[in-house]
Amino acid sequence: MQRLNASFLNGRPRPTTTQIVQFGEGNFLRAFFDWKVDRLNEATGGDWGVTVVRPIPGGFPQTLNEQEGVYTVLSRGVDEAGRKVSQARLIGCVRNEIAAHGDWASVLELARDPNVTVVVSNTTDAGIAYVPSVAYADEPPVSFPGKMTRFLHERWKAFDGAPDAGLQMLACELIDHNGEELKRIVLLHARDWALEPAFIEWIETANAFYNTLVDRIVPGFPRAEADDLRSELGYDDSFMAAAELFHLFVIERKEGMPALRLPLGEHDEGTVVTADVTPYKARKVAILNGAHTGLCALALLAGVETVGEAVSDPAGARFLDRLLNEEVIPFLTLPKPELEDFAAAVLRRFRNPYIRHLWYDISLNGLVKYQTRNLDRLLAYRERFGRPAPLMSLSLAAWLAFYLGRFPGADTLPPRDSAEIVERVRAIGALDDGTPAGLEAMVAAYLGETAFWGRSIDDRSLRAQVIEDIRFLTDEPFTFARLAARL
């Protein structure tokens, strides 16, 4: 079968220049950012071309150049009418791929290209990190901020520090304040390397580092369906990437920052430009991540293996609907209709038949996830109503039962956390000697453990609720049928 190449675009116009330099060749940026840019070009007749820089050595042995930069994105999921949708799109905005390790000179040549205006990155969560051993003369500097500092210095020299030669950086790494952190480390390297004060001023005044929030599940290459998809599409594509239908790109343009050159916010319904990304991050953490964490331990206790199975069960769907609408949305700051729309989209995403998301994978470091995703809503509910949030409390009890292995099949599903946390939970569980006093001592210690929650959350009403919930979950095997009766 023929390998995918530019001829399959059937004459569709392709960008003639590189305006975007992309650090990161992985599935996520290709099925998220490049997919958005490609659609933007089609909608506007734009010429936004992307050159992909592979920032680390090794990895996938083939390069996008072998397919002339062309690849397929499969957008798949459940639409608002509940119908299964699978859409294949050929991406034509990527012009070429360069390896930073092995062709650093070509990367620096891009820095001297006057057409380049935007840099986008996704170099893993650990990619934006300060590595003190990085040196200016390294070819290339091993860290991404080191590469970016060297790249910017090359551009500053090439254009004699012209203000209009500055770049706009869109950092898509999954860390808080990703753009600001990248800028901080770039400036740190510039000072470490004793680079010119005028260059440091140019970084500060002529370049913009935008914080972002990205949200799209990208499972990547659909290996199990590869042969069928080749037959259906009529070509062989080594870079095909599957993604869910949902996509959200929030770009924080604070007061005083320049307007974005890349006009995604004007033409893409899944891109939001805002002065403050915080409410959107809070929405994602509380609703999307919080729903996962809220139901995870309960599903594992009930023997439900995947997210899709859980939300296809009326009890699982009812639990999430009530959790989000009664115990989460009332405590967030964005307009209620917007939050309700996002919650409905989350539930559709959970029902995606093309993604098999295991609860056991989600359970990794479950207690800290509860702290960062759910605890604020648990406490806010108690503060507002003077009583424990019933579903958040049930989830809290379920995590204790899961870590203690008090459910059928626990031998094959041990808690996935650090040895210190697991041992601390076991020590707390040992307080339960089978008496009411022992059970209360265990729950009090669980709620009072600052290593789990960052503070003690123990009080008389929450303790009583969690004791009741532990009994409900463990006195007899827990099932979603029993959950339905509780709801």
Side-chain angles (χ1 to χ4, degrees), residues 16-83:
T16 58
T17 61
T18 293
Q19 297 191 50
I20 302 169
V21 175
Q22 175 175 307
F23 283 86
E25 81 288 358
N27 289 316
F28 180 77
L29 280 183
R30 289 191 293 104
F32 178 75
F33 180 79
D34 298 331
W35 176 82
K36 285 177 175 283
V37 170
D38 195 68
R39 293 163 71 240
L40 173 69
N41 283 339
E42 182 179 49
T44 65
D47 192 44
W48 291 95
V50 180
T51 288
V52 172
V53 176
R54 187 177 294 215
I56 59 175
F60 193 59
Q62 297 172 318
T63 76
L64 286 162
N65 298 327
E66 297 173 41
Q67 296 185 178
E68 299 181 294
V70 180
Y71 62 93
T72 312
V73 171
L74 292 173
S75 300
R76 314 167 95 183
V78 177
D79 67 14
E80 294 184 9
R83 297 169 298 202

Side-chain angles (χ1 to χ4, degrees), residues 106-310:
S106 293
V107 177
L108 294 181
E109 186 177 340
L110 281 175
R112 299 188 289 268
D113 185 340
N115 295 303
V116 171
T117 62
V118 175
V119 173
V120 64
S121 68
N122 190 333
T123 53
T124 78
D125 299 6
I128 299 181
Y130 175 63
V131 179
S133 60
V134 167
Y136 180 89
D138 292 345
E139 296 187 359
V142 67
S143 72
F144 169 56
K147 292 180 179 71
M148 199 67 243
T149 309
R150 183 71 178 83
F151 189 91
L152 287 169
H153 191 250
E154 192 71 20
R155 189 169 184 86
W156 175 77
K157 291 189 298 180
F159 296 100
D160 295 321
D164 59 1
L167 300 176
Q168 295 189 343
M169 264 66 70
L170 297 170
C172 297
E173 288 80 1
L174 298 178
I175 62 171
D176 287 339
H177 312 293
N178 40 24
E180 293 173 3
E181 182 65 3
L182 176 60
K183 179 180 180 179
R184 183 187 72 81
I185 300 174
V186 164
L187 289 170
L188 192 55
H189 282 309
R191 296 183 176 103
D192 285 348
W193 298 343
L195 299 179
E196 299 87 344
F199 168 63
I200 293 173
E201 182 180 0
W202 181 79
I203 293 175
E204 293 271 23
T205 59
N207 296 269
F209 295 75
Y210 299 89
N211 296 324
T212 72
L213 173 69
V214 297
D215 189 6
R216 193 181 207 191
I217 297 171
V218 179
F221 188 81
R223 196 166 307 281
E225 307 166 74
D227 290 340
D228 290 341
L229 288 168
R230 288 187 189 100
S231 299
E232 178 185 335
L233 297 171
Y235 52 76
D236 184 20
D237 180 2
S238 298
F239 288 88
M240 183 183 301
E244 66 172 336
L245 293 178
F246 182 88
H247 55 99
L248 177 67
F249 191 20
V250 183
I251 305 171
E252 184 177 71
R253 180 194 171 204
K254 292 185 175 181
E255 185 177 354
M257 297 184 78
L260 287 148
R261 295 165 183 158
L262 183 66
L264 281 175
E266 301 166 26
H267 300 280
D268 176 61
E269 76 283 358
T271 299
V272 176
V273 181
T274 179
D276 185 7
V277 76
T278 306
Y280 294 91
K281 179 177 174 58
R283 181 184 74 174
K284 176 179 182 285
V285 169
I287 295 179
L288 173 64
N289 304 125
H292 270 149
T293 303
L295 185 54
C296 180
L298 289 161
L300 289 168
L301 297 186
V304 178
E305 190 175 10
T306 70
V307 173
E309 291 174 70

